[in-house]
Amino acid sequence: MAPSPLFVSTSGEKPALLSISFASDPAGSLGTQLMNHDKGSPGEMFTPGYASVGRLLEGETVARKCGVKVGDVLVAVNGEGFRRFKPEHKDEDLDDLTSHMDGMGLKDLDEKARVIAGKKDGEHYTALLGKIKAVKKAADPENPLLLSLERYDWDSRVNSWPRFLVAREGDVPAAMQMIQQHETWRQSHFPVDLTNKGLQDVLKAKAVAEIDVEHEGLPPTVYVSFSKLQALESDHSPQDVVNAFVIFTEELLSRAANPRQPKTSQFIDLTGVSISSGLRVDILKKVYAAFEPNYPETLHKMVMFPVSRVVKLTASGLLSFVNENTKKKFVITDDLDVVCSELGWDKKEVEACGGVTDFMHKHEKHGSTMIFD
């Protein structure tokens, strides 16, 4: 199949469905650590259930066998709903990820859309756990434990709302305005036309790319080469760089192990670039204007390298448009040890490659499916 000339957002609002049956293993362990979403916190208001998967335990557990992932929301037990609010979509309009379930599918169950509300904080979660324990204890082969879950994308309100709330320091009205503005931006920005000449030039030059490196638990990195952007200066606009940046950010965030806490780092390669004459602040402002309001709390670190200690003072002044919380995540340095520590790179490999730029060339992954000749 030919690649699409349009890049759509990697996240949507519709969930996917997943069912877990204990029919073949009544005494089996689910093998998850659940998160309690019944604490009365404003961050819970868009979570449809009172519990979600916070961690998968090691071993041959039912959860691992059934394909459960971190972030999946538990919404029903044996066909009885334990929801905060009614589902927004009909089951027939959603993908069902359940491969098999002893002849019973999630869509065959009654009452799973039931809403329970009005109890004190914590009592809904307790009722959910109580139902699970009661079914397990009964050990009825005709009525095995059956859990219904929903899986939401990283930028759905279910998963993104807590990040917007943090970005607005817990101010619910301000966070609501921010997320609504983001949703408007998302509708107007996507899909991105990959055939745009300026964007194609940026992608072909690998001026913006993904760094495909094992990170030892640290998030993946979006790479930006300012020297390559300088070489393309007459053939692209700052918006082309923004679009490339958004594309790679979307791709990396969509792969996050935890959709509630997706993270990326950004590496700004300033090799051969003069801060005073070559640092395109207009590009940084454009990227920041797209990233800050639309991907809040997803930046792990932004590393700018190499920047001498003297020039670092100038760079800090040029970045005065960045808010204080984001500035704390900026690392402006000429120290390779600092770069490798912040991004999880192997310094010996970087040096063996001949430096950061050649290390980037070795590991850059620019997405050949997005190149249109």
Side-chain angles (χ1 to χ4, degrees):
M1 181 182 295
S4 171
L6 299 176
F7 180 88
V8 298
S9 175
T10 58
S11 182
E13 290 297 329
K14 283 186 177 182
L17 310 176
L18 179 65
S19 306
I20 304 175
S21 172
F22 285 70
S24 60
D25 190 8
S29 168
L30 176 59
T32 67
Q33 184 178 63
L34 295 179
M35 289 185 64
N36 180 351
H37 297 296
D38 190 22
K39 298 179 179 180
S41 166
E44 301 167 347
M45 61 188 290
F46 290 113
T47 304
Y50 295 100
S52 70
V53 176
R55 185 167 69 92
L56 295 177
L57 304 182
E58 297 299 325
E60 290 294 315
T61 63
V62 173
R64 289 186 180 275
K65 291 177 182 177
C66 294
V68 174
K69 292 185 177 181
V70 171
D72 289 351
V73 182
L74 184 54
V75 294
V77 180
N78 284 57
E80 294 183 22
F82 286 83
R83 304 184 64 96
R84 178 174 274 109
F85 47 80
K86 287 186 176 295
E88 297 182 10
H89 306 280
K90 296 180 179 179
D91 284 356
E92 53 265 31
D93 296 330
L94 303 176
D95 291 334
D96 191 340
L97 305 176
T98 309
S99 56
H100 70 280
M101 202 174 63
D102 299 324
M104 188 183 297
L106 186 60
K107 298 173 184 176
D108 301 321
L109 304 176
D110 297 324
E111 301 300 324
K112 67 183 182 63
R114 184 189 69 167
V115 172
I116 61 168
K119 299 178 183 292
K120 295 180 180 179
D121 293 344
E123 291 183 351
H124 310 87
Y125 180 74
T126 299
L128 170 66
L129 295 185
K131 176 66 176 180
I132 294 174
K133 292 176 181 177
V135 175
K136 290 276 283 185
K137 184 177 180 180
D140 182 356
E142 299 298 321
N143 187 35
L145 181 62
L146 179 64
L147 304 179
S148 303
L149 301 99
E150 293 178 351
R151 180 173 299 165
Y152 290 84
D153 291 339
W154 64 273
D155 199 32
S156 66
R157 278 199 175 191
V158 173
N159 289 319
S160 67
W161 168 247
R163 300 195 295 272
F164 282 91
L165 194 60
V166 170
R168 288 297 176 260
E169 300 180 337
D171 185 330
V172 172
M176 186 63 71
Q177 181 181 33
M178 185 182 186
I179 198 171
Q180 289 172 343
Q181 290 173 341
H182 162 64
E183 290 167 352
T184 299
W185 172 85
R186 189 170 63 187
Q187 290 177 355
S188 64
H189 192 84
F190 295 102
V192 176
D193 181 5
L194 292 173
T195 65
N196 175 275
K197 183 182 182 302
L199 176 58
Q200 280 292 299
D201 289 341
V202 172
L203 293 174
K204 289 176 182 178
K206 300 181 183 179
V208 181
E210 170 190 347
I211 304 305
D212 188 16
V213 178
E214 293 294 330
H215 291 278
E216 300 178 358
L218 293 175
T221 301
V222 177
Y223 170 64
V224 180
S225 170
F226 261 73
S227 63
K228 291 181 179 179
L229 291 179
Q230 281 183 325
L232 291 170
E233 191 160 344
S234 61
D235 298 319
H236 79 280
S237 71
Q239 187 59 45
D240 297 323
V241 180
V242 171
N243 285 338
F245 195 88
V246 165
I247 287 170
F248 284 106
T249 297
E250 288 265 332
E251 288 280 6
L252 296 185
L253 292 178
S254 71
R255 300 178 208 156
N258 185 347
R260 283 181 172 264
Q261 299 176 352
K263 296 284 185 181
T264 65
S265 287
Q266 300 161 9
F267 181 78
I268 311 299
D269 187 357
L270 295 170
T271 302
V273 175
S274 166
I275 290 290
S276 58
S277 61
L279 182 56
R280 292 285 303 277
V281 177
D282 59 327
I283 291 179
L284 289 178
K285 282 184 176 180
K286 280 273 190 180
V287 170
Y288 179 80
F291 188 87
E292 182 66 21
N294 295 300
Y295 302 97
E297 301 302 313
T298 62
L299 178 64
H300 174 64
K301 295 289 182 181
M302 175 186 273
V303 178
M304 302 178 70
F305 173 89
V307 181
S308 70
R309 294 178 183 178
V310 174
V311 177
K312 180 178 178 179
L313 298 175
T314 305
S316 298
L318 292 173
L319 298 174
S320 59
F321 57 88
V322 179
N323 72 45
E324 291 303 317
N325 286 335
T326 302
K327 276 185 181 179
K328 294 175 183 177
K329 302 173 184 178
F330 278 32
V331 179
I332 304 175
T333 184
D334 62 351
D335 189 333
L336 183 58
D337 285 322
V338 172
V339 173
C340 293
S341 174
E342 296 289 355
L343 300 178
W345 297 344
D346 184 342
K347 182 183 177 182
K348 291 182 179 179
E349 183 186 357
V350 175
E351 292 176 333
C353 288
V356 167
T357 301
D358 289 330
F359 175 77
M360 296 296 102
H361 292 328
K362 177 181 177 181
H363 292 286
E364 62 194 358
K365 181 179 177 183
H366 70 294
S368 58
T369 58
M370 293 186 285
I371 302 298
F372 293 84
D373 293 320

